[in-house]
Amino acid sequence: MNNRLFLALYALAVSGAYLLSLPFILIFSFQKKYKESLPARFFLWKNRPLPENSIWFHACSFGETRALMPILEAFSKKHPEEKIVFTSTTNTGHAEAKKISSVARYLPFEPLLWFWTKQQKVLVVMEAELWYLLFYAAKRKGARTLLVNARISDRSYPKYRRFSWFYRHLFRHVDAVFAQSATDKERLEALGAHNVSVVGNIKLAATARTTREYRKPEGLVVTAASTHDGEEKPIIDAFLEFKKHHPEAKLLIVPRHPERFEKVADMAERIASDKGVGFSRWSVEKSLKDDIVLIDAMGELVNFYAISDIVILGGAFVPAGGHNPVEVLPFGCKLVSGRHIFNQRAIFSQMEGAIFCDADAIAQALEEAIGAPVLHLEKSLSIDPILKEIEHVV
């Protein structure tokens, strides 16, 4: 299929999907969670086009947006006269983008990009935001188009291959791709990407920064971070077994989703009462004096990493894919993880020191962690190749 025919058919398909979905989108727009993002993305409500001739960055989530910070900071330092603009597709990504740039917008749904997109110097897209009309419209308006931190996981690769005909058309409008690993490079090239370089995972270049300082309590501090349903119980049980040999140890539990705070609090308080140990909620006591403390507050995880000795990283003792361990790196912590890390395998492959175990072996892993090395990078990472590619247009 030639490019013009594919473009016409694709534009017709997404436009049809857009029109059919409008009634449902309108209904969801009244929900608190979507009252800002959906009107902006699908109706362009308070969503003006980006200023022309800017350096345009696009990412989806909070983590992906924050991961672009080292590139933005390094580029802005060398080229302070250049205007940085940002788009995102999620509420959390948009909130973080507003902290980074004075010009932050929600990315409109694809059919609206025809007339919303203005001429830009370069478009830098993060990871898997592979919107065909985003690249096409930006390229057609004269932008140099880059895909950075690109990856294709073992789990998702078969799905990508089934739609390889689509990605061959998309990658015709991408000037350069920066992959996380050699395996990602091979997979991307098999899908039609060209000019692919391996630079590693740029999330490893970001340095987590605390927003508050807390006094570290006496004894070992174990932080169970970003836990999911089904993980807190075995973690608490393992900690109580561990505490028999380390009576001064404390456990901080930080659930991934705030809507689970109450459920986790009820369970942890019940177990603590049965076992005769202290339990408290951070939101109530603002204290770390008890044996088990539920950190039921948002935006505090990095602050507690800073006073932790061992981090148990959740999302991997159940098949959720794991979570990004990068924020643990600056604080000299030991790290224990489950084995379900299929979404984070590329990141873990560039680190050393992590201890992997099943949920029923967490207590032994905590003992092992005491004498283990701290989590650290296998080798340093440079974002210079990406910066040089952006600088081609300034």
Side-chain angles (χ1 to χ4, degrees), residues 10-56:
Y10 183 80
L12 183 63
V14 295
S15 296
Y18 171 68
L19 293 173
L20 289 172
S21 63
L22 282 180
F24 303 99
I25 294 169
L26 185 61
I27 294 170
F28 279 109
S29 295
F30 290 100
Q31 295 186 10
K32 183 178 179 180
K33 182 177 180 180
Y34 303 112
K35 69 177 183 179
E36 181 183 10
S37 60
L38 288 185
R41 294 197 64 208
F42 290 88
F43 302 106
L44 300 183
W45 177 256
K46 296 182 179 179
N47 194 6
R48 302 187 312 276
L50 297 169
E52 294 185 357
N53 297 314
S54 302
I55 309 300
W56 177 9

Side-chain angles (χ1 to χ4, degrees), residues 149-165:
N149 220 43
R151 69 181 180 93
I152 300 178
S153 68
D154 296 345
R155 195 178 195 183
S156 61
Y157 186 47
K159 299 175 185 176
Y160 277 90
R161 290 190 65 181
R162 283 198 294 272
F163 293 94
S164 59
W165 54 270

